[in-house]
Amino acid sequence: MTTPHPATNTGAQHATRGIFFIAGLAVSAWAPLIPLVKATLHVDDGALGLLLFCIAAGSMLAMPFSGSLISRFGCRAVILCCALVLCLDLPVMLFIDSPVVMGGVLLFFGAANGLLDVSMNSQAVVVERESSQARMAGFHSFYSLGCIAGAGSVSLLLWTGVAPRHAILLIALLILAIALASSGHLLARRPQQTDAKGSLLRTLAHPHVLFIAIVCFFIFLIEGAMLDWSAVFLHSERQMPAQQAGLGFTLYSIAVALGRVYGDRLINTYGNVRVLLFGGVCAAAGLLVMVSLHSAMLSLAGFVLVGAGLANIVPVLFSGAGNQPSVPSHFVLPAVTLFGYAGLLSGPALIGAMAQHFSLSAVFSAGIVLLLLVSLLARNIIH
């Protein structure tokens, strides 16, 4: 009797969902603790910004090596090592009182997060391919749900009086439990030895891979704008009270999560190209509502449209990138993810610089053009 490959059974799908969930859980559980860490370290906003940049720096430094690590050790080993680092790193953060040491810990946190991001998407590409159905949007929906669960549960625990160290320890134990439960269905096989000859620069030398990576840069840039500038936009240009201005990003996040929950059904029914095309149009329409109608309530509706439109663009791009016929997925995904992170990180600063000379409405209007270009080029992006 032949044992089925783990990627062909439902266990592999559940395991992949679990890993996406803990990736979102770890990142978002850290967010409510930032003010407490800031007070413990006695640093100002500028120093805190540099510390937070260590997370991004760690991710971007580690990603170029992820393809070689996956090629040599397989997805399972990389995913489990990253999960272990996150389990150890999160509680340790609350015992540190030195900014320099904290910078090092956050660097490791970012590196583990970046490697986990690539390895879990590599696992997802194989599971999706061997299931012969769209799965990527559903996997990414569990990342969104993990983000909601992480930030929400830690905030709730702190609100009920649980000590921060105990709250984050519970999250670390949950991450460990899910990782161990998923481990039996993660991909342990090694790719062919020829795969190990890949490199980041050689991967980006493929025109279509570079094309998808550039598209990811701009889509992540727009996502970064939603995260960092949505509340500022609602407060400064729509006169919404500062205490309520965070509602825009909340509605956007809910729309993204719901869009990804139903994303696989949409992709299986209408195909990647149509989902990419209509997603770009929907998100562009949302930005158009935000910038052209001077109403706070209508702007909130615009945020919902943007979230619904963007929800499945990244899963479609990752799926398309991971299924390139001439390049192994574990080398394509680090390149695409690296470009995406670059857009996510540089976008808010770039938008701030442009907003000084124009306005946030004008800058968001440029996003409309980018999204419509993605829609027009949908057939070229996914072929």
Side-chain angles (χ1 to χ4, degrees):
M1 183 175 179
T2 304
T3 302
H5 187 278
T8 63
N9 58 39
T10 55
Q13 295 172 27
H14 291 318
T16 308
R17 294 184 187 107
I19 298 304
F20 272 79
F21 182 83
I22 65 175
L25 187 70
V27 171
S28 60
W30 151 248
L33 300 172
I34 294 175
L36 301 174
V37 170
K38 180 177 182 289
T40 301
L41 297 176
H42 304 290
V43 294
D44 58 20
D45 290 343
L48 179 63
L50 289 174
L51 286 173
L52 294 178
F53 180 74
C54 289
I55 299 176
S59 295
M60 298 188 72
L61 287 171
M63 280 181 186
F65 301 99
S66 55
S68 297
L69 289 172
I70 294 169
S71 178
R72 183 171 183 179
F73 300 108
C75 289
R76 177 194 290 171
V78 177
I79 288 171
L80 292 179
C81 284
C82 291
L84 181 61
V85 171
L86 292 175
C87 288
L88 295 173
D89 226 323
L90 280 169
V92 166
M93 291 177 188
L94 296 180
F95 289 89
I96 294 173
D97 57 7
S98 165
V100 175
V101 176
M102 179 62 77
V105 171
L106 291 177
L107 201 68
F108 275 102
F109 183 77
N113 184 56
L115 289 174
L116 181 60
D117 198 323
V118 175
S119 56
M120 72 186 187
N121 276 290
S122 297
Q123 158 100 8
V125 165
V126 177
V127 173
E128 180 184 58
R129 184 190 302 143
E130 298 193 8
S131 72
S132 302
Q133 287 187 316
R135 302 284 182 190
M136 189 65 76
F139 295 146
H140 279 254
S141 74
F142 274 79
Y143 180 86
S144 299
L145 294 173
C147 288
I148 295 170
S153 60
V154 172
S155 298
L156 181 61
L157 288 169
L158 295 178
W159 180 70
T160 56
V162 176
R165 292 175 181 178
H166 295 159
I168 204 63
L169 183 60
L170 289 173
I171 297 296
L173 291 174
L174 179 59
I175 291 171
L176 183 61
I178 296 174
L180 291 176
S182 304
S183 63
H185 296 284
L186 298 177
L187 296 174
R189 70 177 181 183
R190 297 184 184 182
Q192 298 298 320
Q193 291 300 314
T194 53
D195 290 355
K197 297 179 180 178
S199 70
L200 187 65
L201 292 177
R202 189 178 301 176
T203 300
L204 290 172
H206 292 261
H208 195 242
V209 173
L210 181 60
F211 183 34
I212 294 177
I214 292 171
V215 173
C216 272
F217 174 87
F218 288 113
I219 295 299
F220 275 77
L221 186 151
I222 294 171
E223 290 188 348
M226 294 296 103
L227 172 63
D228 291 288
W229 288 100
S230 57
V232 177
F233 172 80
L234 288 170
H235 179 59
S236 63
E237 302 206 11
R238 295 297 177 262
Q239 288 71 54
M240 181 174 282
Q243 298 86 345
Q244 301 172 15
L247 184 58
F249 183 70
T250 302
L251 292 174
Y252 163 84
S253 299
I254 292 171
V256 170
L258 289 175
R260 288 177 174 173
V261 166
Y262 294 100
D264 290 336
R265 188 179 305 175
L266 292 172
I267 294 168
N268 285 320
T269 302
Y270 299 106
N272 283 325
V273 173
R274 288 182 179 177
V275 168
L276 193 59
L277 190 158
F278 289 111
V281 170
C282 180
L287 286 178
L288 182 62
V289 169
M290 288 167 52
V291 301
S292 62
L293 302 178
H294 297 277
S295 161
M297 295 306 296
L298 291 176
S299 291
L300 291 176
F303 277 103
V304 173
L305 285 175
V306 174
L310 289 180
N312 294 304
I313 291 181
V314 170
V316 167
L317 291 175
F318 274 41
S319 181
N323 285 289
Q324 294 299 301
S326 56
V327 194
S329 63
H330 55 279
F331 285 112
V332 175
L333 290 172
V336 170
T337 307
L338 192 62
F339 267 63
Y341 268 61
L344 191 68
L345 296 172
S346 63
L350 181 63
I351 289 167
M354 293 176 65
Q356 282 187 329
H357 298 285
F358 304 101
S359 67
L360 275 177
S361 291
V363 175
F364 282 152
S365 297
I368 297 173
V369 177
L370 291 174
L371 288 165
L372 290 178
L373 281 174
V374 169
S375 295
L376 289 172
L377 297 171
R379 196 170 296 280
N380 302 95
I381 296 170
I382 306 297
H383 63 64

